[in-house]
Amino acid sequence: MKLWKRNAIAAAIVLFVCGAVYLNWSYSQDAEAGKNLGEAALVDSQSSSLLNRQDPAEGTQEDGAAQEGADSADETSGSYFSTARLNRQQARDNALSLLQEAASDEKADQTAIDEANAAIQTMADYTMTEAQIENLVTAKGYADCVAFLGEDSISVVVSSLENGMTDTDAARIGEIVMEQTGLSTDQIKIIEAE
């Protein structure tokens, strides 16, 4: 009976950790595909900008519409980053609570407790590394950033840039990520949020 309970706890922990990894992966895929919350507002802002570019001599009415669209895009972008951070934290909190339960279970053997404690430490390390990367990227002048660190890869989503992402921008962000994680360039995915 003890063996069954221990295996059930270990399976639940693995399931939640896999769920957290899947959520991180799906958010990075959504960002790569350009799927963001408030996508309609983003499309609206692009069409307003296009109207403004077509005939700049038509006056301030279209300039005001373009500015409102740009403000809406900024709010949408900020909303994406806030939502991504919140979802990442919720997934980790759920996995952490299960791991803590497993680590504090009196009936668990020492191996299961050690594995749960190691997973908790790894999760804490990931959280700290992601926060450092996000802070360093924004310190370099980028408006916002969210990082999703996995066991052997990382995805970094950066707010859209005025002139688009250049090779210099990617190299600058990649250098920060390599310094903080020790990952190689082929393990780093940098995505510009749209």
Side-chain angles (χ1 to χ4, degrees), residues 92-112:
R92 286 214 175 125
D93 287 345
N94 289 337
L96 182 61
S97 67
L98 285 174
L99 290 168
Q100 287 173 334
E101 284 178 26
S104 64
D105 187 7
E106 295 174 3
K107 297 176 183 176
D109 69 347
Q110 191 59 41
T111 305

Side-chain angles (χ1 to χ4, degrees), residues 29-40:
Q29 295 301 317
D30 287 347
E32 183 177 298
K35 298 177 186 174
N36 317 10
L37 294 175
E39 192 170 336

Side-chain angles (χ1 to χ4, degrees), residues 27-101:
Y27 288 123
S28 68
Q29 295 301 317
D30 287 347
E32 183 177 298
K35 298 177 186 174
N36 317 10
L37 294 175
E39 192 170 336
L42 185 59
V43 171
D44 182 45
S45 71
Q46 290 174 346
S47 65
S48 296
S49 297
L50 290 174
L51 287 174
N52 190 25
R53 287 187 206 144
Q54 287 176 350
D55 192 3
E58 286 189 3
T60 59
Q61 190 174 29
E62 287 179 359
D63 291 343
Q67 181 60 37
E68 286 175 19
D71 291 344
S72 175
D74 289 343
E75 290 172 14
T76 301
S77 177
S79 172
Y80 164 76
F81 290 103
S82 298
T83 302
R85 283 189 192 97
L86 178 64
N87 289 336
R88 178 184 66 192
Q89 188 60 41
Q90 287 174 341
R92 286 214 175 125
D93 287 345
N94 289 337
L96 182 61
S97 67
L98 285 174
L99 290 168
Q100 287 173 334
E101 284 178 26

